[in-house]
Amino acid sequence: MTLHTLIDFEILRLIWWVLLGVLLIGFAATDGFDMGVGALLPFVAKTDAERRVAINTVGPVWEGNQVWFILGGGAIFAAWPPLYAVSFSGFYLAMFVVLAALILRPVAFKYRSKRDCPRWRAAWDWALFIGGFVPALIFGVAVGNVLQGVPFRLNDDLRAFYEGSFFGLLNPFALLCGLLSVSMLVMHGGGWLALKAEGAVAARARAYGSIAALATIVLFALAGLMLWAFIDGYRIVGEVAVAGPSNPLIKNATVAAGAWFDNYAARPWQWVAPAMGLVGAALALVSLQSRFDGLPILASGVSIFGVISTVGLAMFPFILPSSIDPRSSLTVWDSSSSHQTLFIMLCVTVIFLPIVLAYTAWAYRILWGKVTEGQVTGEHGHFY
């Protein structure tokens, strides 16, 4: 018996499905408030000093937060190669727009305060807004399209062919999911500013964060109703080879109305996830209005966990369904890397993920405290 066979292939696949969810939630919960603050910047800050306060609440931590984005992409590449190949080729233009928006953010952080010129700084402030709003919108649109199925197929050699277009991604349900993503992250950003800022910036953040929290509740509920009433889901037909070869074409799958709710009917405890999405947003709304500084960011984090978990649990075991050839759909059981690869990656993750978590916790502890106008306008220290 070799070392990697100590854990069954089926268990390893399930572990990596969970880990992928953890990485996506970690990215949304950390880099999400960075994007939320960027999207809120034109609304919560009216003067240059106020904008510097908002920017400096995330300035010291945004680079570390993007580690989760890199880890998520790396996990998809190494654990689910077909998912990486199909999604990054099919969503190529959308990914390019996201990356372009994300590139604007570090450039804006570094160059915004290099010149004491209102027009110069205003231009970079709008770059920060784009870097926050655009990725949040497109990530949600991508999830909306995945739930509807992506127009790709596999030939007998497992070569993928994508037959969609960029503008085809901009359908009503996907745009609704995009708006839900934006409202969710703006709510999260409002909670972060309520915790880290003071005065007018914090007050406006509470107001706009409350609006975003209410929008999150409404949009999440509406998306669920649309998914139940109008969006067909996917089912595997016949026996599932949970430890079989990584070949999506060995299974049969079909499209059926209401199929995305099969898992919730079979395991009612999973309704905890959508409940967390709604209750977390409601608690964020109440706490933002009640001026509890620490509670809104925690409540919005619970909502993010619930919303993302709701999608993952609904789709399981599918990770990328095909709208033109359901048999080509990628699932947890038939599109992973090899047994040995997943085991080696798990060993690496067990060693390094705690290090990332420990470093992140240490960094937040060192940088804890509110950002004030006196700090960012004073001569001592380094501020954006």
Side-chain angles (χ1 to χ4, degrees):
M1 176 184 293
T2 58
L3 184 61
H4 74 272
T5 57
L6 293 175
I7 304 179
D8 292 339
F9 199 10
E10 171 190 357
I11 301 300
L12 277 173
R13 284 168 161 169
L14 188 60
I15 288 172
W16 272 102
W17 175 77
V18 172
L19 282 175
L20 180 59
V22 168
L23 293 174
L24 293 177
I25 292 170
F27 169 63
T30 56
D31 209 32
F33 67 71
D34 296 344
M35 290 187 280
V37 169
L40 280 170
L41 187 60
F43 308 101
V44 300
K46 303 302 181 183
T47 67
D48 181 67
E50 290 178 352
R51 285 189 285 272
R52 292 189 69 192
V53 167
I55 291 169
N56 279 277
T57 63
V58 297
V61 297
W62 70 268
E63 289 177 291
N65 292 341
Q66 285 203 324
V67 168
W68 295 96
F69 182 58
I70 297 169
L71 290 175
I76 293 174
F77 172 76
W80 316 100
L83 173 62
Y84 183 91
V86 174
S87 60
F88 277 69
S89 59
F91 296 159
Y92 181 81
L93 185 54
M95 292 288 185
F96 179 83
V97 174
V98 168
L99 290 176
L102 290 176
I103 288 170
L104 281 177
R105 186 166 56 169
V107 178
F109 276 123
K110 298 301 182 183
Y111 283 95
R112 182 197 182 276
S113 295
K114 295 297 185 182
R115 293 180 59 189
D116 189 10
C117 171
R119 292 182 63 184
W120 170 271
R121 294 187 173 186
W124 290 118
D125 289 341
W126 281 108
L128 287 171
F129 170 79
I130 293 171
F133 177 83
V134 171
L137 178 68
I138 292 182
F139 286 142
V141 168
V143 172
N145 279 281
V146 169
L147 283 167
Q148 296 174 91
V150 177
F152 77 94
R153 58 180 176 84
L154 302 175
N155 66 7
D156 292 338
D157 297 323
L158 301 184
R159 182 181 176 185
F161 296 87
Y162 181 79
E163 299 182 7
S165 65
F166 174 77
F167 292 104
L169 302 175
L170 305 179
N171 55 77
F173 179 74
L175 290 173
L176 174 64
C177 292
L179 292 176
L180 170 60
S181 175
V182 170
S183 66
M184 183 174 68
L185 297 188
V186 167
M187 170 185 66
H188 202 43
W192 178 255
L193 286 173
L195 175 66
K196 293 287 289 182
E198 291 183 338
V201 173
R204 296 188 193 108
R206 290 188 187 98
Y208 285 106
S210 298
I211 296 171
L214 181 60
T216 299
I217 296 170
V218 173
L219 292 173
F220 186 40
L222 182 59
L225 289 173
M226 287 189 65
L227 194 65
W228 175 74
F230 303 110
I231 308 299
D232 291 338
Y234 291 74
R235 291 184 183 133
I236 295 178
V237 179
E239 186 177 353
V240 180
V242 295
S246 293
N247 180 356
L249 299 181
I250 64 174
K251 69 173 180 310
N252 289 315
T254 185
V255 179
W260 285 147
F261 291 85
D262 287 353
N263 289 337
Y264 291 98
R267 293 176 286 274
W269 64 264
Q270 293 185 357
W271 285 102
V272 171
M276 289 176 68
L278 294 171
V279 172
L283 186 58
L285 171 61
V286 172
S287 57
L288 282 166
Q289 303 236 318
S290 303
R291 297 178 178 271
F292 293 121
D293 287 349
L295 189 54
I297 188 70
L298 295 175
S300 59
V302 169
S303 182
I304 288 172
F305 179 91
V307 171
I308 295 177
S309 297
T310 296
V311 176
L313 291 172
M315 291 183 57
F316 183 83
F318 290 90
I319 52 178
L320 191 68
S322 169
S323 60
I324 59 176
D325 180 21
R327 183 166 168 253
S328 295
S329 299
L330 308 180
T331 75
V332 172
W333 312 125
D334 58 29
S335 59
S336 72
S337 292
S338 68
H339 191 170
Q340 185 172 9
T341 299
L342 294 182
F343 179 78
I344 293 172
M345 288 175 54
L346 180 61
C347 294
V348 173
T349 302
V350 168
I351 295 171
F352 287 101
L353 187 58
I355 296 175
V356 172
L357 292 172
Y359 169 77
T360 301
W362 175 83
Y364 276 90
R365 182 176 178 274
I366 294 297
L367 298 168
W368 200 249
K370 289 186 177 290
V371 179
T372 66
E373 288 192 25
Q375 290 174 330
V376 300
T377 57
E379 294 182 359
H380 61 283
H382 173 73
F383 293 95
Y384 292 100

